Amino acid sequence: DDVRRENEKRIKRMIAYATGQTCRHVTLAAHLGERLDPCGTVCDVCTGASRQSVVGSRQRTTSADARQAAPQRPAPASEAEAAVIVLDCLRRMPFNVGKTGLMKVLSGSITASVKEDRNPHFGALSGMSQGRIDALIERLVADSFIARGDSEYRPLTLTDRGAAAERATLTAYAAPSSSVPAARQSAAMAKLTTGTSLALGDEGAEGGGQLDDDQAALLERLREWRSAEARERAVPPYIIAKDAMLQEVALRQPASHDELLAIKGFGPTKIASFGDAILALVAAG
């Protein structure tokens, strides 16, 4: 958001310089923190040469500015439709990108390296939150529609399954918060009430529960996701989530933001950033 706002300011300054009727020397000096008197006889504004092309210039620069970011579109009618868009967007990318780069294109970010002239899906998911897009990509990775590379930037590529996928293949997709079967939720709650897992709010026994095979596999997926997030954000993994937090997720298998919030270490800010992705990984199991 900070980068986007700064870029928008730069664009506005450029447009103001190109279309404004203030002496060019005065405008440039002000940009550098200096003050000058109008030149009077040198620049096109002071000599009147710019007045004939002001209207055309404004139209051109306004159109260029409008192309910098995609207008927000309605959210797709279903997760299956959104998943098809993600896969086709990745298929049409002119070069390999990581998850962050793909999310920028899908959301229509002003900082995306590819715009609508190179990918028709630029801004196609602008009606969805960043968390939902993140969670959907993670789920497609977990379900082997997308492969994540091992190099530093973790590029995403379509698997054979992803390349062959179409909307009919993905009709079973549902929102992450509602895709955990009731039986699985009941089993997780039973573990909490029978003492196999930690009791809610039991801070002293943090990380003390035993994991079965399914929970251990989920914990491994959560750690892989955390490592990828940490690399993309250039931060230590514990900034994303501590080991004890991921172990609690594997034990409790939360199905909603409220259940995730009950785990020590997950506050509103962290859930806003990573909650959907974590719930998607839990649901994908």
Side-chain angles (χ1 to χ4, degrees):
D1 287 344
D2 290 342
V3 172
R4 175 181 57 78
R5 284 192 291 267
E6 182 58 33
N7 283 340
E8 288 173 349
K9 290 179 182 178
R10 292 174 58 196
I11 291 170
K12 288 178 180 178
R13 288 197 295 268
M14 293 168 64
I15 293 174
Y17 176 79
T19 64
Q21 291 303 296
T22 301
C23 172
R24 306 293 190 194
H25 295 190
V26 171
T27 303
L28 289 173
H31 178 67
L32 298 174
E34 302 291 339
R35 296 183 62 182
L36 286 178
D37 292 330
C39 66
T41 59
V42 178
C43 76
D44 61 327
V45 173
C46 291
T47 60
S50 68
R51 291 190 180 93
Q52 297 177 355
S53 59
V54 165
V55 174
S57 176
R58 282 178 178 165
Q59 291 174 342
R60 288 193 299 273
T61 53
T62 300
S63 298
D65 183 41
R67 289 194 298 269
Q68 294 297 315
Q72 182 167 329
R73 305 185 194 179
S78 67
E79 292 290 306
E81 182 179 342
V84 170
I85 291 173
V86 171
L87 295 175
D88 197 46
C89 181
L90 185 58
R91 180 185 294 110
R92 294 170 180 265
M93 286 297 295
F95 46 79
N96 290 338
V97 293
K99 182 173 70 173
T100 300
L102 182 60
M103 289 176 61
K104 287 181 178 180
V105 175
L106 290 166
S107 63
S109 170
I110 196 173
T111 60
S113 57
V114 172
K115 302 293 194 302
E116 68 271 19
D117 59 332
R118 304 183 72 186
N119 194 314
H121 295 299
F122 176 73
L125 300 186
S126 57
M128 293 174 58
S129 69
Q130 292 290 301
R132 281 188 65 193
I133 299 174
D134 186 316
L136 181 57
I137 293 173
E138 286 296 333
R139 188 173 181 189
L140 289 168
V141 171
D143 289 345
S144 300
F145 289 100
I146 295 175
R148 180 182 277 123
D150 295 326
S151 63
E152 179 182 359
Y153 297 104
R154 307 282 281 174
L156 302 178
T157 55
L158 288 178
T159 63
D160 291 340
R161 185 185 186 192
E166 45 190 43
R167 188 173 283 102
T169 312
L170 302 165
T171 50
Y173 266 55
S177 59
S178 62
S179 56
V180 179
R184 182 174 172 185
Q185 295 183 40
S186 299
M189 291 305 297
K191 289 177 182 178
L192 289 173
T193 55
T194 57
T196 304
S197 179
L198 300 178
L200 292 175
D202 183 4
E203 299 178 2
E206 184 176 21
Q210 296 297 317
L211 300 177
D212 60 26
D213 291 343
D214 290 339
Q215 292 168 333
L218 173 57
L219 178 59
E220 183 60 29
R221 291 196 301 273
L222 288 166
R223 285 172 172 163
E224 291 177 357
W225 162 80
R226 180 183 62 179
S227 296
E229 285 289 337
R231 277 191 292 269
E232 290 191 6
R233 296 169 185 265
V235 297
Y238 69 83
I239 296 296
I240 307 298
K242 296 180 180 178
D243 277 340
M245 295 164 61
L246 297 185
Q247 184 168 356
E248 280 295 276
V249 171
L251 283 165
R252 302 185 185 194
Q253 301 185 28
S256 68
H257 284 184
D258 287 340
E259 291 181 19
L260 193 57
L261 191 62
I263 297 176
K264 182 182 177 183
F266 285 102
T269 300
K270 196 170 289 291
I271 288 178
S273 299
F274 309 117
D276 288 342
I278 291 173
L279 293 177
L281 286 170
V282 174

